[in-house]
Amino acid sequence: NVSGQLYRRAMSALEDEEEDEVGNHVREIVKVHCLLGLAKLSLSVDVADAAAAEKLARDALDILLALDPTEERRSSNSGDVLLCLYPWSVAPLHRSSHSYHICAARQLVAEACIRSSRPEDARAFLTDAVKDSPGNYEAAFALATFHLRIMLTNMNDESESKKTRMLLLKAAKMGMDTAKPDPFALLGVWYETENDATRAKGCYQKALAIDPSHPVAGRGLQRLMSTEELEIICEKAAKQNSPLNGWAWSVMGHRKSRGQGDDTTAAVCFQQALRCRDIQNPENDILGAFYSNPIPSSATNLKQCEASETWAELAACYRRLGKYSAALRAYEAAYSVSDGHLSPDALCAWAQVDLDLGLHEEAAEKCDEVLSLDCSLE
């Protein structure tokens, strides 16, 4: 894996640096960044290595807890010697980065415990973190996030639901001074499970008021509002320089193609959506588990739902524009990212492109696959 190799090379380079060249704080925070990146990679592969991910995340957390984010940065006579690492060289940004990485480390340890079928270990770890730092927002939010995940696996546990709401409200209150959008977005998810669309919408809108591109809040409103109502919200989100606004580009693509018949602009929107991490790699986002519909009867495979369907929508635009070869490549990409589990509608549309190109045998194979899917559902 190229990313893993780069993380390890960076850590090796840090070990080779002289102390005079790299300040200890920067050395350690960059090392933490690499350790957390490796932990995420260990969890994102087809056969996740939860044990390795847990060790990497715990090592990162140990480093972070030993650091003092308020300590002054090292300087030379000519000014800060770490201008190339600007976010870790300026005190306020350094403190923000320190807090973010602590939160990420705790959530990765908990995620590894869950993947290892040890949810109680995850609960104990995060609960102890809150006890150790009762005023720490990151610890409170990590615990609330964990409880929401557990609640979503057992919607009939009323006591767990009440506790989850209380923890999310606590995290939201603690994060108000620094305008944290995440607790409000997850409160929206909680209210959706309670079928309280009004409060859910209000929470999502509050999260988007803080972060217009928030991927959980944006998808929440996508479920609760029409594409016409979302137009201004999506345009604002698309203007953000964010790798997580793919949901907004996707909504705009649907509106352009289906509502306005503008397949040229729609294709551009879908292309932009596919460049965004929340569409292509939701599993790499700490909040990726909350992208999908929280109502159990509507739960689907996220990667197929978004990455695959976005490719299929792009392919449909290409076909209507007469770009049959491009449409064929887009359907092949949709099939690939869905691990061969395209919807019957997408398979039929793909078969039509094959017919357009004179590929009759390929079209027949896809029609047979659709018929087999229909039989399996009966």
Side-chain angles (χ1 to χ4, degrees):
N1 183 288
V2 176
S3 297
Q5 292 174 6
L6 290 173
Y7 283 132
R8 291 186 178 87
R9 285 174 60 186
M11 291 177 65
S12 178
L14 285 173
E15 296 298 327
D16 294 339
E17 290 286 350
E18 296 291 337
E19 181 63 27
D20 290 342
E21 296 180 47
V22 178
N24 182 61
H25 271 76
V26 173
R27 181 194 302 274
E28 296 299 270
I29 205 71
V30 174
K31 185 177 180 180
V32 163
H33 183 76
C34 294
L35 287 169
L36 294 181
L38 289 169
K40 288 181 181 180
L41 290 174
S42 296
L43 292 174
S44 64
V45 294
D46 292 337
V47 181
D49 190 344
E54 182 177 351
K55 183 182 185 307
L56 289 163
R58 285 186 181 275
D59 288 347
L61 188 59
D62 289 342
I63 293 172
L64 287 165
L65 294 177
L67 288 176
D68 178 6
T70 64
E71 187 175 316
E72 292 295 326
R73 307 278 71 78
R74 289 167 53 97
S75 299
S76 68
N77 294 333
S78 59
D80 200 322
V81 299
L82 297 166
L83 293 178
C84 60
L85 292 172
Y86 182 76
W88 297 302
S89 307
V90 179
L93 292 178
H94 176 79
R95 287 192 293 271
S96 176
S97 177
H98 183 267
S99 296
Y100 169 80
H101 282 93
I102 284 181
C103 183
R106 284 178 173 144
Q107 290 187 329
L108 280 170
V109 171
E111 176 69 22
C113 289
I114 293 172
R115 298 282 187 96
S116 301
S117 300
R118 293 157 44 219
E120 291 309 313
D121 286 350
R123 187 193 303 271
F125 173 78
L126 295 173
T127 301
D128 288 344
V130 171
K131 289 179 181 177
D132 292 341
S133 306
N136 184 277
Y137 161 79
E138 284 74 22
F141 178 68
L143 180 61
T145 300
F146 168 79
H147 275 273
L148 182 60
R149 288 190 66 177
I150 296 299
M151 189 204 84
L152 292 176
T153 64
N154 185 7
M155 302 285 280
N156 297 320
D157 190 338
E158 187 174 344
S159 63
E160 183 66 43
S161 177
K162 289 181 178 179
K163 186 168 186 178
T164 299
R165 178 176 179 272
M166 178 193 72
L167 290 169
L168 285 170
L169 286 170
K170 179 183 176 182
K173 185 176 181 180
M174 292 174 68
M176 286 185 71
D177 290 342
T178 50
K180 303 288 188 182
D182 294 345
F184 293 107
L186 298 195
L187 274 168
V189 173
W190 188 90
Y191 280 117
E192 266 200 270
T193 66
E194 296 292 307
N195 295 313
D196 190 340
T198 300
R199 284 191 173 89
K201 190 184 296 185
C203 289
Y204 290 140
Q205 289 172 332
K206 189 154 190 176
L208 287 171
I210 300 170
D211 176 6
S213 64
H214 199 285
V216 175
R219 284 169 172 79
L221 289 185
Q222 195 175 340
R223 292 189 293 269
L224 300 174
M225 299 171 68
S226 67
T227 54
E228 291 79 9
E229 293 175 303
L230 282 170
E231 186 171 8
I232 295 177
I233 293 172
C234 290
E235 288 176 354
K236 186 175 181 180
K239 291 177 181 178
Q240 306 300 307
N241 184 22
S242 169
L244 299 175
N245 61 2
W247 62 271
W249 287 106
S250 180
V251 171
M252 291 194 297
H254 281 93
R255 178 155 172 71
K256 292 294 182 183
S257 64
R258 299 180 183 180
Q260 301 175 5
D262 184 355
D263 285 311
T264 300
T265 304
V268 173
C269 291
F270 289 129
Q271 289 168 350
Q272 188 64 40
L274 288 164
R275 296 188 182 101
C276 296
R277 196 172 70 231
D278 61 320
I279 296 291
Q280 287 286 25
N281 299 297
E283 65 277 3
N284 289 340
D285 182 15
I286 289 175
L287 300 182
F290 306 106
Y291 284 3
S292 57
N293 194 327
I295 307 301
S297 60
S298 302
T300 53
N301 181 291
L302 181 60
K303 191 169 185 179
Q304 178 179 347
C305 246
E306 300 212 63
S308 177
E309 290 190 2
T310 303
W311 275 112
E313 290 289 346
L314 177 60
C317 289
Y318 283 147
R319 178 175 180 268
R320 289 190 291 268
L321 291 169
K323 299 179 179 181
Y324 301 115
S325 296
L328 189 64
R329 290 193 296 272
Y331 277 123
E332 289 170 349
Y335 188 80
S336 175
V337 299
S338 69
D339 295 324
H341 297 99
L342 278 182
S343 68
D345 287 346
L347 284 169
C348 287
W350 190 0
Q352 186 60 57
V353 173
D354 285 335
L355 290 175
D356 292 334
L357 292 172
L359 304 172
H360 299 98
E361 289 185 9
E362 290 83 349
E365 289 175 1
K366 293 175 181 65
C367 290
D368 287 341
E369 187 173 348
V370 172
L371 292 174
S372 67
L373 287 173
D374 289 340
C375 291
S376 66
L377 294 174
E378 290 180 356

